[in-house]
Amino acid sequence: MVIPNSATTRAVIFAPQGRDATIARTLLEEAGIRSIVCANPLEFESRLDDDACFALVTEEALRLVDLHGIRTHLSAQPAWSDLPFIILTQRNPASEPSPDATVLYEIATNVTLLERPFRPATFVSVARTAFKGRRRQFEARNLIEELHEGEERLRTALLAGHLGTWELDATDLRLTASAAFKALFGCVSDDPFSYEDLLNSIPGDDRERLRETVRITVKTGADCAVEFQNVWPDGSIHWADIRARLVCDRAGRHPRLVGVASDITDRKTSQEGLTTLNEMLEERVAARTAELREAHATVLAEIAQRERAEEQLRQAQKMEMIGQLTGGVAHDFNNLLMAVLGNLDLLRKHIPDDPRTTRLINGALQGAQRGAALTQRLLAFARRQDLKVEPKNLADLVRGAADLIERSAGTHIELRQNLPPDLPLALVDANQIELAVLNLVVNARDAMPDGGVLSITIDHVKIPKTSDLPAGHYVRLVVSDTGHGMDADTIEKATEPFFSTKGIGKGTGLGLSMVHGLAVQLNGALRLTSEVGVGTKAELWLPVTTMIAAKEKATEPCSSGEAAEKITILVVDDDALIAMSTVDMLEDLGHEVIEANSGDRALEILRQDRAIDLLVTDYSMPRMNGAQLAAAARQIRPELPVLLATGYAELPKGSGNGLPKIGKPYRQDQLATEIKRVLKQSAGSQTLRFTS
């Protein structure tokens, strides 16, 4: 409860002469004390409640008041309350209070007389004294209520915890115990229960332990805490836990132990049962030790196998996560290179014939093309590059790249090759295999800065099932060197993306990771073995195929410089930079271009009555990807040719795999060639449907 202040309490004034009431109220307001003037005796009596800080009444006003009601009100005050009265009296030469004031003296015990006329300072001092006295009463009320609430909370807590309270006088060992405490020892509340009775209920050593604990607490002031057995009058055995602290008076005398006690029989019973159970379990464990020893070797083997499997799973998950990350980076980088290559390609056509400017643009184009090669490595690691797999002889591919291999190895390296002519075929992407071989050759060359021997060997191997390959026939391409080699930790990290043992600026750390990603994508494996100071051997295992190699067909040349028929093309790309580059290249080819930045906008345009000969759309777009847009567009215009542009060349199953595609980044001549091919295929399909 909050202690009332001058804002919530008020002085009660009753003075029939209005002048006295006005003066008193004015002085009280200046002193910061609120007041209320009563108009009649009944109002004055009703205002004498707990909100009154004191009562101010004139001597003559008491003659008008029936003091019986005031007597009844004051006698009903709580113990903390003693309402102050200030009586304004007339000066009496005999210094005796008037009979009216004397009557109020008999009723109230807190009365102050103030003779009139009085000095304002005297009046304010008396009023403030009465006000402060009333505030102290309010404070006493709050303390009483807090003590009462504390006692109630303590009583509730003791009842909830089934605790009994006790107090032991350390001088004469007189025990004062609550009914709950006595119940812990099998006694009812009315039974006498002394300290000797308590000790007599405790058997054996527990009794002496309790005495010793009490003695130490009295001597040192340490907390008393002891558990012991006790026997009830009916002979049943129980357990009790008593705790206490030493308390003295203000003078440090009259020491006594004050504490609580609880019944812990259930807990002790549970502990004994648990101990018995543990003993039984120990016997069972001992009985089965021989069996466990026999199975120990098997369990260790299974654990080792499980750890290997978990480690393989962690590595697979890690590589999958990194692959997703690098695939996303490569896609975004492809978009950037798309804008760079396209704009440079157009810029080269429209600048004056200046050799220096042409050289600068060609240099920028070469840098962008190297960036495109880097994204292909990233996509190879992420297993998202567009693999055009065909049955190929690996020996023929290596022979075809002989010049590149020799230039990459350098003149200080002795190159040895063992390429049998009668090897079986493997399903591979020729360009990616050549790139993988070049990566392995470059790594081998860098491992031999002072020269050495680089060997390329291809053979046909049949193997049983292993941890990374199923059983079957494989073509194995081995690139080995006599360089400085790698330790076990380096071998373990060698295929991680961006990991490199070369210096800063001397390698991307993507060579082996690209080869590893390519091998996995072709259902094969990359195996590395190395010895420090001896050299490294990289083995690319690829499964043999029974498919027959197709004969190469002569490709129809197509140049962006050829006169092309002017058509209307709808270009859809959510990236404004890519869309602008594509539109510029198409307009430079002489086509009319309509641009849309989303699939929804493209469908709105297709629903209009406008002639559109070709739809060129990006694949990766929010809300509606390119494959979904193509399907929706074909519902509006069934004969509309569609060209899908994507940095993710390996699309999910059912996501436009039957559509013509052009991979990002592309140049103007590539775009012109693909448009001509798509239109030619579309015209052939329409002719076939018409004739049938």
Side-chain angles (χ1 to χ4, degrees):
M1 180 177 290
V2 179
I3 298 175
N5 52 37
S6 58
T8 58
T9 62
R10 69 270 186 274
V12 181
I13 303 174
F14 182 46
Q17 296 182 6
R19 181 172 176 274
D20 292 334
T22 301
I23 293 173
R25 187 169 192 178
T26 301
L27 293 175
L28 290 175
E29 289 179 355
E30 292 177 356
I33 302 175
R34 296 174 62 250
S35 62
I36 183 171
V37 178
C38 299
N40 53 66
L42 291 177
E43 183 182 1
F44 175 68
E45 180 181 331
S46 65
R47 295 289 185 179
L48 301 179
D49 52 18
D50 290 347
D51 290 333
C53 59
F54 60 84
L56 177 64
V57 61
T58 60
E59 186 178 43
E60 58 272 16
L62 294 175
R63 304 188 188 99
L64 305 176
V65 178
D66 182 3
L67 297 179
H68 177 73
I70 296 178
R71 183 194 305 272
T72 303
H73 181 81
L74 295 180
S75 62
Q77 290 184 105
W80 60 268
S81 178
D82 189 9
L83 181 64
F85 279 82
I86 300 176
I87 303 177
L88 301 181
T89 67
Q90 296 295 337
R91 183 179 299 276
N92 189 349
S95 299
E96 293 289 338
S98 66
D100 299 320
T102 302
V103 174
L104 187 58
Y105 264 124
E106 298 174 354
I107 298 175
T109 60
N110 191 358
V111 178
T112 302
L113 297 179
L114 183 60
E115 293 183 351
R116 293 173 292 181
F118 49 76
R119 295 175 60 189
T122 303
F123 176 81
V124 170
S125 176
V126 172
R128 285 178 173 171
T129 301
F131 180 74
K132 291 179 181 178
R134 187 60 169 173
R135 280 183 58 84
R136 285 194 293 271
Q137 294 177 24
F138 288 143
E139 292 172 357
R141 176 188 63 183
N142 287 349
L143 291 175
I144 292 172
E145 291 180 352
E146 288 176 1
L147 288 174
H148 178 71
E149 291 177 359
E151 290 177 354
E152 289 298 323
R153 287 195 295 269
L154 177 59
R155 185 178 295 107
T156 302
L158 292 174
L159 290 175
H162 302 286
L163 300 176
T165 59
W166 62 284
E167 182 177 325
L168 180 66
D169 192 314
T171 304
D172 57 7
L173 298 181
R174 186 176 67 257
L175 177 66
T176 303
S178 66
F181 184 87
K182 294 178 182 180
L184 296 178
F185 298 91
C187 299
V188 297
S189 59
D190 296 334
D191 292 343
F193 194 72
S194 64
Y195 185 54
E196 289 299 324
D197 294 333
L198 172 62
L199 294 175
N200 291 334
S201 68
I202 303 174
D205 296 337
D206 286 354
R207 181 187 307 169
E208 295 304 322
R209 188 156 51 86
L210 176 59
R211 280 179 174 167
E212 181 64 15
T213 303
V214 171
R215 186 188 66 78
I216 293 175
T217 299
V218 173
K219 181 179 179 180
T220 65
D223 289 351
C224 174
V226 60
E227 298 177 355
F228 53 84
Q229 280 187 336
N230 64 91
V231 182
W232 283 18
D234 61 2
S236 58
I237 298 176
H238 297 261
W239 280 86
D241 178 8
I242 65 171
R243 299 175 182 270
R245 283 189 172 183
L246 187 67
V247 178
C248 299
D249 58 14
R250 292 183 178 179
R253 296 173 297 185
H254 304 297
R256 61 192 185 279
L257 274 69
V258 179
V260 296
S262 60
D263 189 312
I264 58 171
T265 303
D266 292 341
R267 191 186 77 189
K268 286 293 185 178
T269 302
S270 299
Q271 289 179 351
E272 291 176 357
L274 183 60
T275 301
T276 303
L277 180 60
N278 287 338
E279 292 175 353
M280 294 175 59
L281 290 176
E282 289 177 359
E283 293 176 358
R284 293 181 181 179
V285 170
R288 298 195 57 184
T289 300
E291 298 178 7
L292 292 177
R293 287 175 179 173
E294 295 177 359
H296 184 63
T298 305
V299 171
L300 289 179
E302 292 177 354
I303 291 175
Q305 182 178 2
R306 179 179 178 181
E307 289 177 349
R308 288 193 298 270
E310 290 176 349
E311 180 62 25
Q312 292 173 359
L313 177 60
R314 283 193 294 269
Q315 292 297 328
Q317 291 173 340
K318 180 176 68 175
M319 297 306 294
E320 179 67 22
M321 179 182 65
I322 298 176
Q324 293 176 0
L325 174 63
T326 53
V329 172
H331 174 266
D332 294 340
F333 196 33
N334 263 336
N335 282 341
L336 297 176
L337 291 174
M338 174 67 239
V340 173
L341 283 172
N343 291 328
L344 287 174
D345 210 9
L346 291 176
L347 184 62
R348 184 172 58 176
K349 295 176 60 177
H350 295 286
I351 62 172
D353 189 11
D354 179 22
R356 184 172 183 274
T357 305
T358 302
R359 186 177 70 255
L360 293 176
I361 292 178
N362 289 337
L365 280 170
Q366 291 176 7
Q369 289 168 350
R370 290 184 181 180
L374 177 61
T375 60
Q376 289 302 312
R377 293 184 178 185
L378 287 168
L379 289 171
F381 169 76
R383 292 181 294 181
R384 294 186 177 182
Q385 80 275 34
D386 187 14
L387 295 184
K388 298 178 181 179
V389 293
E390 298 174 325
K392 292 289 184 180
N393 187 313
L394 293 188
D396 293 341
L397 294 179
V398 173
R399 293 189 190 97
D403 292 340
L404 287 175
I405 293 173
E406 291 177 0
R407 286 197 296 269
S408 299
T411 58
H412 65 294
I413 301 296
E414 179 184 350
L415 183 62
R416 299 176 182 177
Q417 297 185 13
N418 181 11
L419 308 176
D422 55 348
L423 289 172
L425 304 182
L427 277 177
V428 297
D429 182 308
N431 293 328
Q432 294 297 331
I433 288 296
E434 291 175 357
L435 182 61
V437 173
L438 288 176
N439 273 295
L440 296 177
V441 169
V442 169
N443 281 343
R445 177 202 67 191
D446 293 342
M448 299 181 291
D450 300 326
V453 178
L454 191 156
S455 301
I456 301 177
T457 303
I458 304 177
D459 57 4
H460 173 211
V461 183
K462 180 181 180 182
I463 61 170
K465 182 179 180 181
T466 62
S467 59
D468 58 346
L469 289 173
H473 292 265
Y474 291 86
V475 178
R476 180 176 61 178
L477 188 153
V478 182
V479 178
S480 58
D481 61 69
T482 59
H484 48 64
M486 297 181 286
D487 56 21
D489 292 339
T490 306
I491 284 285
E492 186 176 354
K493 300 177 182 178
T495 56
E496 294 182 2
F498 307 110
F499 175 81
S500 176
T501 58
K502 304 173 185 177
I504 298 176
K506 296 183 179 180
T508 63
L510 291 172
L512 288 178
S513 65
M514 184 277 290
V515 179
H516 172 268
L518 175 64
V520 173
Q521 196 170 8
L522 294 174
N523 300 317
L526 173 66
R527 295 177 177 177
L528 298 175
T529 56
S530 183
E531 185 177 349
V532 177
V534 177
T536 302
K537 180 169 65 174
E539 301 179 4
L540 180 60
W541 293 70
L542 299 173
V544 170
T545 180
T546 57
M547 297 178 61
I548 300 175
K551 294 183 179 179
E552 295 185 0
K553 298 180 180 179
T555 57
E556 178 184 355
C558 182
S559 171
S560 60
E562 297 178 358
E565 180 184 357
K566 179 179 179 181
I567 62 174
T568 301
I569 301 175
L570 174 59
V571 175
V572 186
D573 200 309
D574 63 309
D575 191 317
L577 192 63
I578 306 304
M580 180 183 67
S581 176
T582 304
V583 169
D584 289 342
M585 286 191 290
L586 292 173
E587 289 179 345
D588 185 69
L589 291 172
H591 301 301
E592 180 181 354
V593 183
I594 304 172
E595 182 181 350
N597 59 3
S598 67
D600 293 334
R601 176 57 184 158
L603 294 177
E604 292 178 6
I605 296 173
L606 290 173
R607 293 188 184 100
Q608 300 173 4
D609 189 16
R610 299 182 64 173
I612 297 176
D613 302 302
L614 175 65
L615 170 63
V616 178
T617 177
D618 182 29
Y619 174 77
S620 178
M621 297 187 296
R623 297 184 59 183
M624 181 187 301
N625 61 39
Q628 295 170 339
L629 172 60
R634 290 281 176 81
Q635 293 181 359
I636 300 173
R637 301 191 182 191
E639 306 299 330
L640 180 65
V642 179
L643 177 60
L644 194 64
T646 176
Y648 288 128
E650 182 185 338
L651 303 179
K653 293 183 179 180
S655 299
N657 287 328
L659 295 174
K661 290 177 293 190
I662 182 171
K664 293 181 181 179
Y666 50 80
R667 296 173 57 176
Q668 187 182 36
D669 55 349
Q670 296 172 326
L671 181 60
T673 300
E674 291 300 324
I675 290 176
K676 183 177 180 181
R677 182 178 293 110
V678 170
L679 293 177
K680 184 177 180 180
Q681 291 177 354
S682 176
S685 299
Q686 293 179 11
T687 302
L688 180 62
R689 283 194 295 270
F690 179 78
T691 56
S692 61

